[in-house]
């Protein structure tokens, strides 16, 4: 019976096979010069090989190869030896013998050379994989894969080796070393299945090194190579962010628009549109910016035709609509539409009130977080005209000589008008505060402080009626001036509330600074001013000393 073809264990020779082997070996020893001796040695090796005596068989086959490399027996012997090493997965010997047979002049024809070279190449790659399974040494594996590529640059598996090297270098945090390897794949293997992944990974490596220009280039390349690639959405979005951060706003907008067109069902489309509008606005492109803002609340465009299964665009939130309305209104002056601004603000306030008022159907009120700030700003803007009108009101009597009765009436009317205007403007700025807007509530408190100071100033600077004597005028001014003190107290309270609000918001702006200065003037003991301490010249380096600020003693 023959040996088990599934087993590589040595099998004992039968009695007849043993006698035949002995006879073949004797013939080779007795007739070494015979023209049949090479065939005899080959037969003995073949017999041993059939019983899995691979070592002894290989010794005989190598003798056959050495005797005449160009013979058919030599080529067959080499194939058998390589097949044996492959069967037992002896990669080391398979690799070394395949290289030996490939290099040996005269051994085998072109097909043989091609085959043994493939075995040499495959065994080399397999050895790297086997070694890594044993050692888990990613650094060595990365080096070995790169060495494989250097030796087999046109291998069908060259891109696999380079790709594996980049994976291990990335895992080791050696992105800088991985970049030239990725570039080699991209430049030499454009049809590799790893090509697009390497483009994406190259962008990420550059991003990790804060080389945002290069990262954006590669992210854009990936997107335009394959919009369906799993990394394409993040890639083009990141490219847009980087372009914007680098001041390349036109390229940034182009990338954002490409993202929105390619992935219309992705969340955040409305936010991106507003971001593009803000970019246009920052660059002075008022027409382009206002057009985008108007699209959020102007005449609705016809709904887009959707493909089967396509998700319709997400409608803008109340916050997004209100932001668009706010920015559009702020741009109206620049567009030469200042006459229509007030109506736009009024329409916007009416829209918001309607949006947050439940209808007869009991529909839920849309959620919002930022709109109170926008409403506060709009109401603050609308209050400015009233503020200016209030500031010019004075209690100075008639401009020309009139009767005492008419002069008294003028003074009385001016006082009543100013007092009513005070009540009205208090209500106006209180409405801004009631919106809950932080920044604009703070600004309104400062405006109220200014209102009260102006009211006090109106009292203290009021001219005496023309018909009063000098003594009577003093009494008049003392009386009306006494009305200024309560207004100053109210101004102090307003400025104090403004500072408290600034601390709550952790906000320091022109309003905070103004309130601080005014409190220093109105209540210097309670709110001492700030003054600069200039260090004495001690011939000390400027890095050691610096100016500080302390309250006045």
């Amino acid at each position: 019976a023959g040996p088990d073809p599934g087993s590589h264990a040595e099998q004992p020779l039968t009695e007849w096979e043993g006698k035949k082997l002995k006879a073949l070996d004797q013939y080779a020893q007795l007739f070494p010069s015979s023209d049949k001796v090479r065939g005899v040695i080959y037969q003995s090796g073949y017999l041993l090989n059939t019983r899995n005596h691979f070592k002894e068989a290989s010794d005989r086959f190598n003798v056959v190869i050495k005797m005449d490399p160009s013979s058919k027996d030599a080529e067959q012997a080499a194939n058998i030896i390589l097949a044996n090493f492959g069967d037992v997965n002896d990669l080391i010997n398979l690799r070394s013998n395949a290289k030996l047979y490939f290099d040996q002049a005269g051994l085998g024809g072109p097909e043989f050379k091609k085959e043994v070279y493939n075995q040499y190449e495959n065994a080399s790659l397999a050895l790297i994989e086997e070694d890594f399974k044993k050692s888990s040494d990613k650094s060595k594996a990365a080096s070995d894969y790169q060495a494989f590529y250097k030796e087999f640059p046109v291998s069908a598996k060259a891109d696999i080796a380079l790709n594996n090297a980049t994976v291990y270098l990335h895992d080791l945090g050696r992105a800088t070393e991985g970049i030239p390897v990725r570039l080699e794949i991209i430049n030499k293997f454009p049809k590799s299945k790893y090509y697009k992944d390497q483009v994406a990974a190259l962008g990420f490596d550059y991003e990790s090194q804060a080389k945002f220009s290069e990262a954006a280039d590669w992210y854009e390349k990936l997107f335009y190579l394959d919009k369906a690639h799993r990394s394409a959405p993040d890639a083009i979005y990141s490219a847009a962010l980087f372009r914007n951060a680098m001041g390349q706003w036109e390229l940034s907008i182009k990338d954002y628009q490409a993202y929105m067109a390619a992935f219309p069902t992705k969340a955040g489309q409305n936010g991106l549109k507003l971001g593009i509008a803000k970019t246009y606005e920052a660059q002075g492109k008022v027409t382009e910016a206002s057009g985008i803002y108007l699209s959020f609340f102007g005449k609705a465009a016809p709904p887009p035709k959707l493909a089967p299964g396509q998700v319709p665009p997400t409608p803008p939130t109340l916050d997004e609509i209100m932001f668009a309305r706010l920015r559009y209104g702020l741009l109206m002056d620049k567009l030469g539409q200042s006459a229509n601004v007030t109506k736009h603000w009024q329409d916007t306030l009416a829209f918001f009130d309607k949006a947050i008022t439940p209808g007869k159907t009991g529909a839920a009120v849309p959620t919002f977080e930022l709109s109170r700030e926008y409403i506060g700003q709009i109401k603050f803007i609308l209050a400015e005209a009233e503020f200016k009108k209030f500031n010019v009101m004075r209690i100075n009597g008639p401009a020309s000589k009139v009767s005492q009765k008419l002069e008294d009436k003028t003074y009385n009317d001016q006082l009543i008008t100013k007092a009513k205007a005070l009540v009205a403007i208090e209500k106006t700025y209180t409405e801004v505060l009631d919106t809950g807007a932080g920044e604009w509530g703070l600004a309104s408190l400062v405006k109220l402080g200014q209102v009260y100071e102006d009211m006090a100033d109106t009292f203290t600077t009021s001219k005496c009626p023309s018909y009063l004597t000098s003594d009577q005028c003093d009494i008049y001014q003392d009386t009306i001036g006494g009305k200024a003190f309560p207004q100053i107290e109210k101004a102090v309270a307003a400025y104090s509330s403004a500072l408290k609000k600034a601390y709550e918001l952790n906000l320091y702006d022109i309003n905070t600074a103004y309130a601080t200065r005014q409190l220093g003037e109105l209540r210097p003991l309670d709110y001492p001013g700030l003054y600069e301490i200039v260090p004495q010249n001690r011939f000390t380096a400027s890095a050691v000393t610096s100016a500080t600020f302390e309250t006045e003693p």
Side-chain angles (χ1 to χ4, degrees):
D4 178 4
S7 172
H8 299 118
E10 287 188 2
Q11 303 290 329
L13 275 64
T14 64
E15 182 180 354
W16 180 86
E17 289 171 337
K19 290 179 180 180
K20 181 177 180 180
L21 178 63
K22 184 177 180 180
L24 292 170
D25 287 345
Q26 285 179 343
Y27 182 89
Q29 292 172 2
L30 293 173
F31 307 103
S33 301
S34 169
D35 58 356
K36 297 181 180 180
V37 70
R38 190 182 70 248
V40 168
I41 296 174
Y42 179 85
Q43 288 183 56
S44 65
Y46 189 83
L47 175 61
L48 286 165
N49 195 74
T50 60
R51 290 296 181 178
N52 298 339
H53 293 253
F54 297 135
K55 176 63 174 63
E56 296 173 73
S58 296
D59 291 343
R60 287 167 169 75
F61 284 143
N62 278 323
V63 171
V64 171
I65 294 169
K66 187 176 181 182
M67 290 175 69
D68 185 4
S70 62
S71 67
K72 190 66 176 175
D73 288 342
E75 182 177 333
Q76 290 176 342
N79 279 328
I80 292 174
I81 290 174
L82 294 176
N84 289 340
F85 288 136
D87 287 343
V88 297
N89 200 36
D90 186 347
L91 296 175
I92 295 177
N93 278 313
L94 176 59
R95 181 180 185 275
S96 60
N97 279 273
K99 181 66 165 62
L100 176 67
Y101 297 153
F102 176 77
D103 291 338
Q104 188 162 355
L107 178 59
E111 287 299 319
F112 172 80
K113 291 293 188 184
K114 180 179 179 181
E115 176 59 28
V116 295
Y117 188 82
N118 286 338
Q119 292 186 63
Y120 168 52
E121 176 186 309
N122 292 336
S124 298
L125 188 62
L127 269 173
I128 298 173
E129 296 166 354
E130 187 176 84
D131 183 57
F132 178 73
K133 288 179 181 177
K134 295 176 181 177
S135 68
S136 299
D137 188 339
K138 293 182 179 181
S139 181
K140 183 177 184 303
S143 297
D144 288 347
Y145 279 124
Q146 291 179 78
F148 173 87
Y149 171 69
K150 187 175 182 180
E151 187 170 5
F152 306 102
V154 296
S155 167
K157 298 180 179 179
D159 62 326
I160 297 176
L162 290 176
N163 181 75
N164 291 349
T166 63
V167 170
Y168 293 137
L169 289 172
H170 173 79
D171 291 347
L172 292 167
R174 290 156 56 181
T176 303
E177 295 177 52
I179 286 176
V181 185
R182 296 192 194 283
L183 287 170
E184 190 71 12
I185 299 176
I186 291 168
N187 294 331
K188 297 291 181 62
F189 305 98
K191 295 183 179 180
S192 170
K193 67 178 181 179
Y194 303 108
Y195 181 82
K196 295 171 186 176
D197 288 343
Q198 288 297 332
V199 170
L202 193 56
F204 181 79
D205 284 347
Y206 279 122
E207 179 185 347
S208 300
Q209 297 178 33
K211 295 182 178 180
F212 299 119
S213 180
E214 292 88 342
D217 288 341
W218 287 103
Y219 282 150
E220 288 164 353
K221 181 178 180 67
L222 173 68
F223 174 78
Y224 289 109
L225 272 174
D226 183 7
K227 295 180 178 64
H229 191 278
R230 65 184 181 280
S231 297
D234 289 340
I236 194 64
Y237 188 88
S238 296
L241 286 175
F242 299 155
R243 296 292 186 200
N244 188 55
M246 292 185 291
Q248 300 171 356
W249 65 272
E250 290 173 301
L251 291 176
S252 174
I253 287 176
K254 179 183 176 183
D255 285 344
Y256 277 130
Q257 290 173 334
Y259 171 87
M260 293 165 64
F263 313 110
T265 60
K266 287 281 187 180
Q269 296 279 319
N270 295 316
L272 289 180
K273 285 176 64 178
L274 291 175
I276 291 173
K278 286 190 285 186
T279 300
Y280 275 132
E281 188 177 347
Q283 298 302 323
K285 302 292 183 180
V286 178
T287 302
E288 292 85 345
S290 61
I292 297 175
Y293 290 138
L294 183 60
S295 69
F296 276 78
F297 63 89
K299 184 177 180 181
K305 294 182 180 180
L306 302 175
Q310 189 176 8
V311 180
T314 304
T317 65
L318 181 58
D319 277 341
E320 290 168 339
I321 294 173
M322 290 301 297
F323 177 81
R325 282 181 168 272
L326 171 66
R327 299 311 306 175
Y328 183 81
L330 294 173
L331 291 177
M332 289 182 78
D333 278 336
K334 295 182 180 180
L335 291 168
Q337 300 180 38
S338 56
N340 300 319
V341 174
T342 299
K343 184 177 185 308
H344 172 74
W345 292 139
Q346 292 169 345
D347 290 345
T348 298
L349 294 177
F351 164 81
F352 183 75
D353 286 342
K354 183 177 180 182
I356 63 172
T357 302
K360 294 180 180 179
T361 59
V365 174
T367 58
F368 61 92
E369 296 179 5
L370 304 174
S371 291
R372 65 181 73 255
E373 286 291 332
Y374 308 147
I375 290 296
Q377 184 173 358
I378 292 170
K379 289 190 173 186
F380 185 84
I381 292 170
L382 286 172
E384 186 63 18
E386 185 180 357
F387 176 80
K388 290 179 178 178
K389 184 177 179 181
F390 175 85
N391 272 2
V392 298
M393 293 178 182
R394 285 293 176 264
I395 307 173
N396 289 327
S400 59
K401 184 71 174 178
V402 295
S403 66
Q404 179 177 340
K405 181 178 180 181
L406 184 56
E407 187 173 357
D408 287 343
K409 182 178 185 307
T410 302
Y411 270 99
N412 187 60
D413 289 346
Q414 289 174 340
L415 177 59
I416 292 173
T417 300
K418 185 79 173 182
K420 287 183 177 179
L422 175 63
V423 173
I425 202 166
E426 283 179 319
K427 181 176 182 294
T428 297
Y429 283 118
T430 300
E431 287 179 358
V432 179
L433 286 165
D434 290 343
T435 65
E439 179 181 356
W440 301 104
L442 167 61
S444 293
L445 286 168
V446 171
K447 282 289 188 182
L448 280 172
Q450 293 173 342
V451 164
Y452 296 134
E453 281 197 87
D454 179 78
M455 193 68 186
D457 183 67
T458 300
F459 288 134
T460 57
T461 61
S462 175
K463 292 194 305 185
C464 289
S466 61
Y467 58 83
L468 294 181
T469 65
S470 176
D471 290 341
Q472 290 173 331
C473 184
D474 289 340
I475 295 171
Y476 171 83
Q477 288 183 330
D478 285 344
T479 302
I480 197 169
K483 298 178 180 295
F485 180 75
Q487 301 301 322
I488 293 297
E489 289 296 297
K490 290 165 73 175
V492 169
Y495 290 138
S496 298
S497 296
L499 286 187
K500 182 179 180 181
K501 196 168 192 66
Y503 297 148
E504 291 174 358
L505 299 172
N506 194 24
L507 176 65
Y508 184 87
D509 60 6
I510 57 173
N511 289 306
T512 313
Y514 186 89
T516 302
R517 287 196 302 269
Q518 293 309 105
L519 285 170
E521 291 183 12
L522 299 175
R523 291 289 182 272
L525 295 178
D526 296 329
Y527 299 93
L530 301 178
Y531 72 99
E532 186 176 6
I533 298 176
V534 180
Q536 295 297 318
N537 189 348
R538 300 191 301 272
F539 303 100
T540 305
S542 59
V544 177
T545 63
S546 62
T548 59
F549 290 86
E550 294 183 359
T551 58
E552 295 178 353

